[in-house]
Each structure stands twice: as structure tokens, then as C-alpha cells.
Amino acid sequence: MTSVPPPTAELSADEARRIALRAQGFLGAPDRRGGVRGVLRHLGAVQLDTISVLARSHELIPYARLGAVGRKTVEDAYWTEGHSFEYWSHAACILPVEEWPHFAFRRRSYRARPHWGHDLPDGAYDTVIKQLRAEGPLTATELGGAKNGGEWWDWSESKVAVERALMYGEVVCTERRSWKRVYDLAERAIPDDLLHDELGDTECLRRLVRLAGESLGVGTRADIADYHRLKGEQFDAVVADSGLVPVTVEGWSKPAWADPQALASEPRGRHRTTLLSPFDSLIWERARTERIFGFSHRLEAYVPKPKRVYGYFAMPLLSGGKLLGRVDPAREGTTLVARQVSLDGAKAVAPMAQALREAAQWVGCDAVRIERVDRAELTADLVKAVS
């Protein structure tokens, strides 16, 4: 691990929490002029996921920060006019197009690695590239089918080829259509001034570490490296020249770094009250969430139903800058169903009711039904508050 110079500031746990909230867009007036694209640039990455309960996670991210922005507006902001592309960052993420050059290190790494133990037939890769060049943007289905009943995720050779081209950077995912990736040639999809791999690995890593530090406000080595799924040693190699400054945080057992701009002024303003996607970058790293909020959260969608504690897609409740509970939501027609609600005492009833009503309205529901509350004595109060 890198040697850490003396800290430039000592932060209380509360100061670190408020810095993190402001950096993630949850403290202060929402940037409505910047809109969804402003949220994307501010966060640097918006994670995608297949699960859709209220909405898909990439829709929930701007909703949590901006309020009831139209869902079509969200999709158009991401996928029109070449403002973004999808690539591997924290996971599969939507990324601002101006960051394309800074993922050159990852594209080079993919080109140099073995081909996942799967050999493509001669010519399969070139066939996909030629088809995209001739026909324009296409889904895997349009390229000849995504699956074939064979090995390796059951992908067809054309799907394997186009995904390999995506990882190499010869092909770009420019949008999701009915949740299918739409592929196009990078030479068409990426602006000429950005379409290059000229930046060395060190410069790429330095930029991504700085971006992650700015998006988090303050974080440990693991926090910042995990934001774009960098290795600890990659962080170590560039943090000294990244522009981030070392700090100490009350109660944090490990060294931390902060964005100097985050330290320049005290975080002030209105706190958001909202439900959070489990894939929201405010909480996507469990250890950080526990350290900052004293809140343990785990996505249980892939946990066998009998072993779930909080539900399939439990969404934490953020209010007053704290995590006050969670709800496992569902939709039945025009009713938002709160299958299971967990509350941090009576103080969480009104914020949970507000968050449920607003979420219901956003997704076109006209009623909220409460099925179960972990603190049974609060059930009547919550039912009354949402009605």
C-alpha cells in the first residue's frame, strides 16, 4: 500500500457524511438545469441492472436526485445525441462520452487477456464488424441471434464476437432498446476528438481516481478504487498526483482522501427525502455505507426467498441525510405495494410515507398499500400517512 503523507484536514464523522451526500447530489438544491445529463457527469458512472420493480436502476438514480423527471426524459438524456456510452466501470455502467479516452487502459487490458477460454470460428469477429459497418446500429438479435444453446453463457458466436468487440473498443453500446444492447462502430459513435487510445495507463488511472474522489467527496483507498473497479495497487500508483488530498475521518480506521473542492466550503442546503436503488453509487459499496451511515444493506434479489430478511429489492430510505429504513416495493396495476417496510422508529414514518407517495406518483400509481411493517405498532400510523 502507498505511504500516506500527513493529512491536510481532520473531519468529524458528521462532516464526512455531509460531504459525501453533497458530492453525490443529495444535499443542496438539485441541478435541474443540468438535468439527467448533469447527474451523469456529476456521478461519472450510473450503474445498469436487469431488475425492474418500480423502474430500472438507471432511472431511479436521477429520480432520487432530481425528483419526478419523466422516464422518457431520462432515457432520451442518456441515449440521444451521443452524450454517453455503456462500458465496464463499477459494473456495466452508463458513462459520459467525454470519459471514453480514460478507459483506454481497460480496453488495452481486455485486448491482452485470454479470450475467456472460448474460441471464435475464423471470420466470426470480422463478420460482425462488417455487418455493423454495412447496416448501422444493431442488437445481438439483429446480428444473427444472441443465443444458440451452446456453452459459455449460451451465447451465439455473433453475440460473443460483438461483446468481444465491445470490450476491445472497436464497438460501442450506444443505447438499450427493450433492454437489449444496441451496438455500433466506435468510429461512428464516438466523436473524432475523443476516439483514441493515446493516453497511457497512468494518465487514465490518475483521471479515474480523481473523478471517483470528486464523486464521493471523501473516501478510503478501497472506496475510491472500487468506484471504477480499479485495483488497490493502481490507486496507489497515481493517488499522489491525482489532486486528492489525505484527510483523517473520525471513526474511520483507515486513511482517507478528499476532493479539495469538497473541503473548501461547508456542505449546506436541503436534504433529499427519497428511496434509493440498491445500485445507487451513494450506497453501492456495503462497507462504506456501514461506515458512513451505520446502516447495513444487502441486495437480496439473489438470496433464496426463505433466507431474505428485508425483501427482494429492498430500497433504503434517505431522509435528513440519514438512512432511516427500507421498503421492498412492487406494483399491482396502479397500486404501489409496500410488501415489507422496515423503519428506524416513529421518526421514519412521515419520511417513508412521503417517499412512497412520491414514488407511486412518478411511476403512474394512484394508491399505496402497506402489507407488512417490521414494527407492528407503527403500521397504523404509516397506513394513515400514505393515504
Side-chain angles (χ1 to χ4, degrees):
M1 184 180 294
T2 185
S3 59
V4 182
T8 61
E10 296 182 6
L11 303 175
S12 69
D14 186 63
E15 287 171 329
R17 178 180 57 84
R18 287 186 287 117
I19 285 172
L21 286 164
R22 182 175 63 179
Q24 282 282 302
F26 289 107
L27 177 59
D31 180 14
R32 300 201 185 281
R33 293 184 67 181
V36 176
R37 289 172 181 168
V39 169
L40 175 61
R41 287 193 300 272
H42 191 74
L43 298 179
V46 169
Q47 186 172 343
L48 292 154
D49 192 79
T50 58
I51 297 173
S52 180
V53 179
L54 291 182
R56 293 200 189 274
S57 187
H58 67 284
E59 299 173 282
L60 293 167
I61 305 306
Y63 165 74
R65 290 154 176 82
L66 301 174
V69 58
R71 295 174 70 182
K72 184 177 186 303
T73 299
V74 172
E75 295 294 336
D76 288 347
Y78 287 138
W79 300 126
T80 61
E81 301 176 356
H83 282 270
S84 67
F85 68 104
E86 179 187 335
Y87 200 58
W88 298 102
S89 167
H90 183 81
C93 289
I94 304 171
L95 302 166
V97 72
E98 57 265 31
E99 300 308 326
W100 173 271
H102 303 106
F103 284 85
F105 84 100
R106 185 155 286 160
R107 294 191 289 271
R108 285 191 289 264
S109 175
Y110 286 142
R111 292 175 200 140
R113 65 188 283 195
H115 293 164
W116 315 298
H118 184 97
D119 294 325
L120 276 175
D122 289 345
Y125 186 96
D126 292 339
T127 296
V128 161
I129 300 300
K130 290 176 182 176
Q131 190 173 351
L132 288 171
R133 179 165 285 116
E135 300 179 29
L138 298 170
T139 65
T141 300
E142 293 165 338
L143 282 165
K147 296 189 176 184
N148 66 356
E151 299 177 353
W152 204 73
W153 294 0
D154 199 28
W155 281 359
S156 68
E157 64 183 48
S158 60
K159 173 67 171 175
V160 173
V162 77
E163 284 291 323
R164 189 174 295 178
L166 176 76
M167 297 174 83
Y168 291 176
E170 194 168 357
V171 160
V172 178
C173 176
T174 57
E175 66 172 305
R176 290 275 186 148
R177 188 185 303 155
S178 299
W179 198 241
K180 295 178 180 178
R181 281 178 174 158
V182 178
Y183 305 93
D184 197 6
L185 298 180
E187 64 197 49
R188 281 198 298 246
I190 304 299
D192 290 346
D193 60 332
L194 299 174
L195 184 63
H196 62 81
D197 283 358
E198 296 170 4
L199 301 183
D201 286 9
T202 298
E203 189 169 354
C204 292
L205 295 170
R206 186 187 299 118
R207 167 68 174 173
L208 292 180
V209 165
R210 175 64 187 238
L211 278 177
E214 291 173 350
S215 297
L216 292 171
V218 59
T220 64
R221 173 186 191 247
D223 295 342
I224 296 170
D226 183 66
Y227 202 84
H228 292 293
R229 288 284 199 261
L230 305 180
K231 297 176 182 178
E233 54 266 29
Q234 291 175 318
F235 171 89
D236 295 342
V238 300
V239 65
D241 298 319
S242 68
L244 304 181
V245 295
V247 296
T248 59
V249 180
E250 175 193 8
W252 291 21
S253 62
K254 296 181 179 179
W257 286 260
D259 171 20
Q261 287 297 110
L263 302 177
S265 62
E266 184 179 352
R268 297 178 182 273
R270 181 173 63 86
H271 287 287
R272 292 283 298 148
T273 293
T274 190
L275 298 177
L276 298 173
S277 162
F279 303 107
D280 195 298
S281 49
L282 180 69
I283 59 168
W284 64 19
E285 211 282 304
R286 289 174 61 187
R288 176 179 171 84
T289 301
E290 292 185 21
R291 191 185 332 117
I292 292 180
F293 296 103
F295 188 88
S296 178
H297 188 69
R298 177 189 182 191
L299 176 68
E300 297 181 327
Y302 307 110
V303 173
K305 189 173 182 179
K307 295 185 178 181
R308 291 176 191 156
V309 177
Y310 297 108
Y312 175 78
F313 194 75
M315 299 179 67
L317 168 68
L318 177 69
S319 184
K322 298 181 180 180
L323 298 177
L324 298 181
R326 65 199 102 199
V327 59
D328 183 31
R331 292 174 64 182
E332 293 181 4
T334 59
T335 298
L336 189 158
V337 181
R339 290 174 170 166
Q340 183 171 335
V341 181
S342 302
L343 298 172
D344 186 15
K347 64 186 177 183
V349 170
M352 179 63 80
Q354 176 188 337
L356 287 169
R357 288 195 307 268
E358 291 180 357
Q361 185 176 20
W362 178 56
V363 297
C365 291
D366 54 20
V368 177
R369 186 173 82 243
I370 308 297
E371 288 194 341
R372 179 177 177 273
V373 181
D374 66 337
R375 298 193 178 199
E377 71 275 13
L378 300 177
T379 302
D381 290 342
L382 182 59
V383 170
K384 181 180 178 180
V386 299
S387 63

